[in-house]
Amino acid sequence: ARPAKPALDIWIAAPDYTQVAPVYLARAQNTSAALSASATVPAGSVLKIRLSGQHRAPLIRLGRERLEATSLGNQNFTAETVLQGSTALVLRQGLKSLGRWDIAVVPDTPPKVNVVNTAAAGNGLLKITWQAGDDYGVTKVVAVITAPDDLRGGLLHGGDALAVLDLPAPPPPAAGKSQDGVYSYQADLSRHPLAGHAVALNITVTDALGQTAKSASVEVVLPERKFESAVARRLIMERKRLLFYGDTPFAAPLVSDTLLDIVNQPELYRGDRVVFLTLASAARRIAYDGDAESLRSVADMLWDIALRIEDGGVSEAARELQDALAALNAALNDPTAPKEAIQELLGDVQDRLRDYMQAMAAEMQQRQQEGGTKPMPAEIADKVMQKIDIQDLMQQLQQMANGDQRDSLRQITEMLRNMMNNMSPESMARMQQAQQQAMEALQELQAVVQDQQRLTEATQSGGDADAPTPSPGDMREMAKAQEGLAARLEALRGKLGSLAAPMSENLDSAGQEMANAGEALRQGQADSAAIAQRAALKALTEAQDQAMQQLADAMKNMMMLGMGGGRQPGGSGEGFDPLGRSQDGGKNVGGEIGIPSEGERRRVQDIQRELRERYNDSDRPRSERDYLERLLDLFR
């Protein structure tokens, strides 16, 4: 066979983690003349040589070392090696030089890190801020908390390190850029045995090569969570007694007696069976198996039960959401994680977020009932929660976030963490207090709908062939009831406040049909009255649905504000509408700018559509159309 035309390919592939593009020293070049070039590449890069069209293997030298070429057959040769230091590449074929290349190898420098600040962030959270840098980005960040000398040993831990926290690694830098930034994370260390005590904290970072750097230790007081429930505070006190004095003769029996005393007063914990069984089990475990490991386990049980008493199932739902966010964040920082796995983790975050919101709503209802405030009926609460479209919320977050998909998702995880840190049953309850008038009006609207349903059924039964025809007296009573419902609806419009605007058309329709039904009943026309009543019921149901959507949008707005770390909505009193929104016409420029709700956006779209239809009506006077055009400009 005729030999192939001599050709030479030489390139250097950098390690994947560097994101550095391959460097080509020669690409299918004719070897009739010597080639020369130079390159600068990261340490660990792979030099690859391919030579074709030659009978003999070339002579390859890297500095003073010789690199052997391997024959691939058919006059093709190959060679490759990992570059760890700067060198010169020389290729010869017999007496002919094929080229010389100077290769500068840049070593991968170790990362650097230092703790910038630590501060309590509320509700037992510790905000850790650190500065980290690396030529290609750190891949792991770990915070280590160490006990002071006088608190080492005993039940608290099994060594000097009291806690090792895996902090989220910062996103890798852009190709060709080094990493050097300040990052922060809010860690929940409230369940730590030394919460409320001073400890030492340092941070260790690791890069892709496994090189590490450790910051200097700083002293920090671990924040404690403040419990509102007296029973929860009592359990936390007994937990501390176990952790600090569990090895003394009196501590364990005293804790066991206290737990049994609480168990025997179910009114203290709402009769929760989980609390009853857990505390009873903990008391018996202390009595029958009081070794150190068992006492640590009981201490963990007491913490979990204190949280359950304090905020119902919210803590458990929050922990599951936190775990889902941590798993998603780890996948986002793993360049090898497939898109399918990320999408699956994102779906899990959506499910856990939905569970979290439902747990929050259930706890709010429970607290309202215990506080003597009339809670939103479960039926209405469930419908409102169903209207908070979690998938749509995630889509809005992706639109808010900038950058590519992974960068956007990283921002979303941070937003959701902020939301969880800023939301609590107490803050949600404050928002509900500000919206109390609107919620009471919604409940009254629900009652009007139910009464209208019953009256409609009574009227329709009068038209049944098997049922007796209502007497004139019955018809007059039904007319009075219908007129009373119409009056209740009219009075209710004032209480609905801003809720009434988007559903004004349905409320107008319902009021008119109620009046028609009342008139028909007075004239003894049951069939006509039933037709009007059904139309009124349909309009009322649609109005109720619109009101629930507005409440869902208000709750979603609060979540969005919480994600941004801004002040949560919930003003009350003069100057605020029933949804807690300022009525100052936007003059309060010192406050935060809220995110428009779905209902508000739809309202703007309806206004735009109406203005366009009127503007396109050629029969309108020119002066009116000019005015409409100016109005349209305001909505563009």
Side-chain angles (χ1 to χ4, degrees):
R2 185 176 180 181
K5 184 178 181 180
L8 178 64
D9 287 283
I10 307 175
W11 72 97
I12 303 174
D16 290 340
Y17 73 85
T18 65
Q19 302 186 70
V20 175
V23 177
Y24 290 87
L25 303 181
R27 304 187 68 174
Q29 298 286 344
N30 190 300
T31 58
S32 59
L35 302 172
S36 63
S38 61
T40 300
V41 296
S45 297
V46 179
L47 170 67
K48 300 184 180 184
I49 303 172
R50 303 290 185 269
L51 179 64
S52 62
Q54 297 293 308
H55 294 285
R56 292 178 299 173
L59 174 66
I60 307 173
R61 287 193 175 276
L62 283 174
R64 297 183 178 182
E65 302 293 328
R66 179 170 177 171
L67 180 61
E68 296 295 333
T70 302
S71 174
L72 299 176
N74 198 24
Q75 301 182 1
N76 292 305
F77 298 90
T78 182
E80 62 181 61
T81 188
V82 177
L83 300 173
Q84 297 295 353
S86 299
T87 187
L89 169 64
V90 177
L91 266 71
R92 299 185 65 86
Q93 188 71 54
L95 298 177
K96 182 169 56 173
S97 172
L98 300 182
R100 172 191 170 89
W101 295 266
D102 292 320
I103 303 174
V105 175
V106 179
D108 189 324
T109 59
K112 57 183 180 180
V113 62
N114 68 282
V115 180
V116 176
N117 187 38
T118 58
N123 208 27
L125 297 172
L126 176 67
K127 184 176 182 179
I128 306 172
T129 304
W130 70 94
Q131 182 177 21
D134 188 65
D135 38 13
Y136 302 111
V138 299
T139 59
K140 187 174 184 180
V141 183
V142 174
V144 177
I145 294 174
T146 306
D149 293 338
D150 58 340
L151 290 175
R152 293 183 181 180
L155 291 176
L156 293 178
H157 53 84
D160 290 344
L162 282 167
V164 178
L165 301 174
D166 287 323
L167 305 182
K177 303 290 185 180
S178 60
Q179 184 183 68
D180 189 6
V182 177
Y183 312 95
S184 63
Y185 181 74
Q186 292 186 2
D188 186 358
L189 296 170
S190 55
R191 72 181 298 150
H192 196 286
L194 285 181
H197 295 264
V199 298
L201 180 145
N202 65 69
I203 294 179
T204 299
V205 295
T206 307
D207 67 9
L209 280 186
Q211 301 178 108
T212 62
K214 181 179 177 181
S215 73
S217 293
V218 297
E219 184 179 275
V220 56
V221 175
L222 296 184
E224 279 190 285
R225 171 164 179 161
K226 304 301 181 184
F227 288 87
E228 299 293 332
S229 166
V231 181
R233 290 198 302 270
R234 190 174 177 185
L235 289 177
I236 294 303
M237 182 179 69
E238 299 305 318
R239 176 178 182 263
K240 289 184 177 181
R241 195 192 307 275
L242 275 184
L243 289 171
F244 287 97
Y245 307 108
D247 56 345
T248 61
F250 68 88
L254 183 59
V255 173
S256 179
D257 290 343
T258 301
L259 297 185
L260 290 175
D261 181 54
I262 296 174
V263 166
N264 292 324
Q265 301 181 70
E267 68 277 4
L268 297 178
Y269 50 87
R270 306 174 184 171
D272 190 326
R273 294 181 181 180
V274 173
V275 175
F276 173 85
L277 293 173
T278 304
L279 292 183
S281 174
R284 283 167 174 75
R285 187 165 189 181
I286 293 173
Y288 295 113
D289 191 8
D291 59 89
E293 182 179 355
S294 297
L295 295 183
R296 289 193 196 98
S297 175
V298 169
D300 290 338
M301 293 165 65
L302 294 183
W303 176 264
D304 292 336
I305 288 301
L307 287 181
R308 185 179 181 91
I309 293 173
E310 178 74 9
D311 54 21
V314 174
S315 292
E316 183 177 355
R319 185 164 57 249
E320 291 180 353
L321 178 54
Q322 288 279 21
D323 292 343
L325 289 172
L328 175 59
N329 192 71
L332 292 173
N333 288 324
D334 180 3
T336 64
K339 291 183 178 180
E340 295 77 10
I342 291 177
Q343 287 301 319
E344 183 177 348
L345 290 170
L346 183 59
D348 187 47
V349 167
Q350 293 180 8
D351 292 341
R352 300 289 78 77
L353 178 58
R354 185 177 292 106
D355 294 343
Y356 175 74
M357 293 305 301
Q358 289 174 345
M360 185 74 74
E363 180 63 18
M364 287 160 51
Q365 279 191 287
Q366 181 71 33
R367 291 191 179 207
Q368 282 183 307
Q369 193 169 9
E370 292 175 352
T373 304
K374 186 179 180 182
M376 184 185 296
E379 179 185 358
I380 296 180
D382 290 342
K383 289 181 179 179
V384 171
M385 291 304 300
Q386 290 171 8
K387 289 183 179 299
I388 300 180
D389 189 338
I390 298 299
Q391 187 172 1
D392 178 64
L393 174 64
M394 299 296 286
Q395 290 174 353
Q396 288 187 44
L397 292 178
Q398 285 180 301
Q399 292 172 2
M400 290 169 57
N402 298 316
D404 61 24
Q405 185 183 28
R406 292 204 177 202
D407 285 342
S408 297
L409 290 176
R410 287 189 191 97
Q411 293 181 50
I412 289 172
T413 59
E414 187 61 29
M415 290 176 183
L416 289 173
R417 284 196 187 96
N418 286 337
M419 178 205 72
M420 294 178 66
N421 294 338
N422 290 326
M423 285 179 66
S424 67
E426 291 80 9
S427 64
M428 294 285 283
R430 286 193 296 270
M431 182 197 75
Q432 280 203 341
Q433 289 172 3
Q435 299 176 0
Q436 192 64 37
Q437 181 181 352
M439 288 189 295
E440 289 175 357
L442 181 56
Q443 293 178 45
E444 192 170 336
L445 179 59
Q446 170 82 350
V448 170
V449 171
Q450 292 173 345
D451 290 346
Q452 182 63 63
Q453 177 70 40
R454 284 190 287 268
L455 184 57
T456 302
E457 291 172 354
T459 304
Q460 288 175 333
S461 67
D464 191 338
D466 297 331
T469 302
S471 66
D474 291 339
M475 299 280 269
R476 285 193 296 270
E477 290 301 321
M478 295 169 104
K480 289 180 181 179
Q482 185 64 81
E483 290 165 356
L485 278 177
R488 283 170 58 188
L489 180 63
E490 186 60 32
L492 181 59
R493 296 186 71 150
K495 295 181 182 179
L496 286 168
S498 62
L499 283 176
M503 55 181 176
S504 58
E505 185 176 341
N506 281 318
L507 292 177
D508 290 341
S509 177
Q512 183 60 51
E513 295 295 348
M514 285 178 167
N516 294 340
E519 182 64 26
L521 287 169
R522 287 198 174 277
Q523 295 178 8
Q525 300 173 358
D527 291 344
S528 298
I531 292 173
Q533 286 172 333
R534 286 195 295 269
L537 186 61
K538 181 176 182 294
L540 285 172
T541 303
E542 292 178 354
Q544 184 187 34
D545 187 70
Q546 290 170 321
M548 290 179 182
Q549 184 63 59
Q550 287 193 80
L551 283 179
D553 290 341
M555 186 173 291
K556 189 175 2 179
N557 279 350
M558 195 197 74
M559 292 168 62
M560 300 282 278
L561 286 171
M563 291 172 194
R567 178 181 58 83
Q568 295 178 2
S572 60
E574 186 177 358
F576 291 90
D577 69 9
L579 288 178
R581 297 175 295 202
S582 173
Q583 294 178 325
D584 62 2
K587 298 175 184 177
N588 183 16
V589 296
E592 289 77 2
I593 300 175
I595 299 168
S597 69
E598 287 295 325
E600 291 168 337
R601 282 194 286 269
R602 285 196 296 268
R603 181 64 176 161
V604 170
Q605 291 171 355
D606 291 342
I607 294 173
Q608 287 177 313
R609 186 163 46 252
E610 180 67 23
L611 290 175
R612 289 194 193 97
E613 290 177 358
R614 296 189 183 188
Y615 176 74
N616 293 328
D617 184 0
S618 58
D619 293 334
R620 294 182 181 275
R622 183 62 194 174
S623 58
E624 182 179 347
R625 295 181 67 197
D626 289 343
Y627 173 68
L628 291 170
E629 184 177 19
R630 291 194 296 273
L631 288 178
L632 279 169
D633 289 338
L634 296 175
F635 289 92
R636 288 180 179 141

